[in-house]
Amino acid sequence: MVIYRARGIRILSVACELLALTLVYWVWLLVRHGGAVSSLRLEFYVVYNAILLAGVVLAAIHGGYRRVLAKESAGWHVGTIRHLTYALGLLSIYLTISRDTVMSRAFLIGFIPFFYAISFLCQSYVPRWIRKLTISEEHEERVLLVGSTERAAGLAQWLQQKEAVGYRTIGLLTDDPATGSWKTAKILGRIDDLESAINGNAITQVMLLEFPMFSDLMPRMMAVCERLGTRMTVICDFEEKFRHSVVMFEDEGRRFMSIREEPLEDPFNRVVKRMLDLAVSIPVILFILPITTILVWLFQRLQSPGPVFYHQPRAGLQNRPFNIIKYRTMRLHDQPVAKQATRDDPRVYPAGRWFRRMSIDELPQFINVLKGEMSVVGPRPHLLEHNAQFARAMHNYHVRAHVKPGITGLAQVRGFRGETRSEDDVIKRVQSDIYYLENWTFTMDCQIILGTVFHMVGPPKTAY
């Protein structure tokens, strides 16, 4: 497979880089210290060498191998800087932690130009040299594309890049109404001409440009390729067919496909998220909530006497209802509870408007977090009536209910808060919620919490 070729060239290139760096490292040590090498503690320099090489390996893993034969010098410089940064960074961490006093800083600074030159050469010229040695003419793959001309056009750039690892496109079989030469490859006939095209053009690999659904084409093509000893690959276009990203996974020997990744389905991730919830909510409840409760109570006594807290049914995890707790910011009234608050809403007493803008009215929800009904970060919980309304605006609206609702969320730090005036408002919020669900990390939660703090200090215009 093409991925093995790129990976193999990358591994061999990195191996050459490690060998060259080690050789130059010790030669430079001899040159720098001359006859005084015997007085050096060489065992320490062996460790330094190993750490530098480990940094290069980590950088190579991070950089990947897909553009190993890139022709742009900018890409070579970026890769070289990455290797140098990882290697020196790892060595600096070691020297700091161990409080090392043996390493000669002059030796290290003098070695940096050599490091850069070797790494640059090993990323620019060595892969091509390895390619010539390992992928000779007899290992060249003569590729026959099978599918539509439109699909072939979308692969033109990728196919051109893969020529660097010995993949040469010979022609295209298509049932589209076109003949002769075409942008990507010469059209050799129709899909039914597969066997004759393979035999007549010495094809070594057939590439099916899309996965045939509910068709016997795949078994027939596989039978021809197997009989002729020709490799066959299929481009997975499930994301285009489903119009959504897909995730492939395996469990006890069975392969499955899902339309989204859900990191919070991992119990370990849920425990980590719960620990963060407790670490944030407990101090807020003990030290902040008592002060804000007294403050809100005083303003309510002056402007709108009544209960300090406001309880309202909201949609929680899997749309199960729970009672959210907030500071009351509206006057006691008989108006419908499903009516959203608007800018300059007459139902909101003066201080309540300020509480809402600064998000102070949301603080009692940390009690919901402590009870396990909410999380600090997650999609905002809506009224059950609004759930039904918003679901009509976006077909995958209820996907957001796969995780616990939150006091704040990605949509809120992106500025999508306040009244939902249009379907576009709903769509932007739900898109942010689903992105959060599919890409959750502990770091993302921390960033959202930090962003929320900044929003409390300087609220966006949509906050009211």
Side-chain angles (χ1 to χ4, degrees):
M1 289 189 291
V2 63
I3 191 173
Y4 293 153
R5 294 192 174 197
R7 182 186 299 162
I9 291 174
R10 178 60 167 162
I11 291 173
L12 290 172
S13 299
V14 172
C16 290
E17 182 177 351
L18 298 179
L19 289 172
L21 285 172
T22 300
L23 177 63
V24 174
Y25 174 90
W26 290 104
V27 170
W28 171 241
L29 187 65
L30 288 172
V31 171
R32 180 71 180 78
H33 293 280
V37 171
S38 57
S39 63
L40 295 175
R41 301 176 65 178
L42 295 180
E43 67 275 13
F44 281 83
Y45 281 86
V46 171
V47 173
Y48 306 148
N49 187 189
I51 292 172
L52 288 170
L53 299 184
V56 171
V57 172
L58 289 174
I61 293 172
H62 175 257
Y65 50 84
R66 289 169 180 78
R67 296 187 59 78
V68 62
L69 294 172
K71 297 179 181 179
E72 302 88 353
S73 60
W76 303 336
H77 285 293
V78 170
T80 301
I81 293 297
R82 180 187 296 115
H83 285 207
L84 186 61
T85 301
Y86 272 69
L88 294 181
L90 200 61
L91 181 60
S92 298
I93 292 172
Y94 170 78
L95 295 176
T96 301
I97 294 176
S98 65
R99 298 181 180 179
D100 183 274
T101 58
V102 176
M103 162 66 81
S104 167
R105 271 48 176 180
F107 163 78
L108 180 60
I109 293 172
F111 179 64
I112 290 176
F114 295 114
F115 188 116
Y116 187 92
I118 291 169
S119 183
F120 183 82
L121 290 173
C122 288
Q123 295 191 57
S124 54
Y125 297 106
V126 171
R128 287 164 174 71
W129 173 68
I130 294 174
R131 191 265 186 203
K132 290 180 180 179
L133 289 179
T134 58
I135 305 177
S136 58
E137 186 176 343
E138 63 182 2
H139 289 105
E140 183 181 69
E141 288 286 351
R142 295 172 60 84
V143 180
L144 175 65
L145 307 178
V146 179
S148 69
T149 53
E150 182 181 0
R151 295 284 301 173
L155 284 177
Q157 184 177 1
W158 180 84
L159 290 167
Q160 186 177 12
Q161 292 174 351
K162 296 307 118 176
E163 290 181 2
V165 291
Y167 274 64
R168 186 154 70 92
T169 304
I170 303 300
L172 169 70
L173 296 182
T174 180
D175 289 336
D176 290 350
T179 57
S181 296
W182 191 70
K183 298 177 184 177
T184 305
K186 181 180 179 181
I187 295 178
L188 301 178
R190 298 179 65 81
I191 294 177
D192 288 339
D193 301 326
L194 178 64
E195 186 167 354
S196 60
I198 292 175
N199 288 326
N201 296 276
I203 299 299
T204 61
Q205 180 152 160
V206 171
M207 186 175 293
L208 191 57
L209 299 180
E210 58 184 336
F211 199 94
M213 304 290 283
F214 314 111
S215 169
D216 64 345
L217 176 62
M218 180 73 76
R220 288 191 288 111
M221 293 185 65
M222 287 180 61
V224 171
C225 291
E226 290 289 289
R227 187 171 70 252
L228 299 179
T230 304
R231 293 184 178 91
M232 177 176 167
T233 55
V234 183
I235 294 178
C236 181
D237 61 339
F238 290 149
E239 294 191 355
E240 295 177 40
K241 282 185 168 30
F242 289 101
R243 298 180 182 179
H244 197 285
S245 59
V246 296
V247 179
M248 309 294 292
F249 63 96
E250 181 178 337
D251 185 67
E252 297 186 4
R254 298 193 179 274
R255 296 179 183 270
F256 298 87
M257 181 177 66
S258 175
I259 60 172
R260 61 177 44 87
E261 189 87 52
E262 295 186 54
L264 287 173
E265 279 295 286
D266 185 333
F268 175 78
N269 288 341
R270 288 206 298 270
V271 169
V272 170
K273 186 172 177 61
R274 182 59 179 162
M275 296 301 291
L276 177 62
D277 287 345
L278 295 176
V280 175
S281 61
I282 291 175
V284 171
I285 291 171
L286 291 178
F287 303 111
I288 298 178
L289 207 57
I291 299 172
T292 56
T293 300
I294 294 172
L295 177 68
V296 171
W297 179 83
L298 287 172
F299 276 101
Q300 286 179 347
R301 297 285 73 76
L302 295 172
Q303 299 180 357
S304 178
V308 176
F309 296 103
Y310 177 64
H311 299 262
Q312 188 180 56
R314 295 288 180 99
L317 181 66
Q318 302 298 352
N319 284 324
R320 290 190 288 267
F322 74 100
N323 284 320
I324 197 171
I325 308 171
K326 302 177 73 173
Y327 287 129
R328 183 176 58 83
T329 56
M330 293 186 179
R331 297 183 175 89
L332 297 179
H333 55 81
D334 297 322
Q335 296 188 40
V337 295
K339 182 180 179 181
Q340 296 185 64
T342 59
R343 186 179 297 276
D344 300 322
D345 195 316
R347 297 174 298 169
V348 181
Y349 59 84
R353 189 167 290 112
W354 182 76
F355 294 149
R356 295 175 70 92
R357 182 166 177 77
M358 302 300 294
S359 299
I360 293 174
D361 63 317
E362 311 284 1
L363 290 176
Q365 292 169 42
F366 283 102
I367 299 173
N368 292 115
V369 173
L370 189 62
K371 293 166 64 178
E373 297 168 331
M374 293 179 64
S375 179
V376 174
V377 180
R380 284 296 295 156
H382 295 147
L383 286 166
L384 301 178
E385 295 89 339
H386 290 169
N387 261 10
Q389 175 188 338
F390 296 156
R392 289 193 292 270
M394 194 168 185
H395 73 281
N396 60 348
Y397 171 81
H398 288 301
V399 170
R400 66 198 296 277
H402 292 343
V403 293
K404 282 183 184 179
I407 297 176
T408 185
L410 185 60
Q412 283 64 48
V413 296
R414 287 178 171 177
F416 306 135
R417 54 179 293 188
E419 182 186 5
T420 50
R421 299 181 177 180
S422 65
E423 287 190 1
D424 188 57
D425 288 340
V426 177
I427 291 171
K428 288 178 179 178
R429 297 182 193 202
V430 174
Q431 286 175 340
S432 295
D433 292 338
I434 293 178
Y435 180 87
Y436 173 79
L437 179 150
E438 296 177 343
N439 298 276
W440 175 90
T441 62
F442 177 78
T443 303
M444 181 185 290
D445 267 8
C446 294
Q447 290 172 339
I448 291 172
I449 292 171
L450 187 60
T452 302
V453 173
F454 284 124
H455 276 215
M456 291 180 69
V457 176
K461 294 180 180 180
T462 53
Y464 52 82

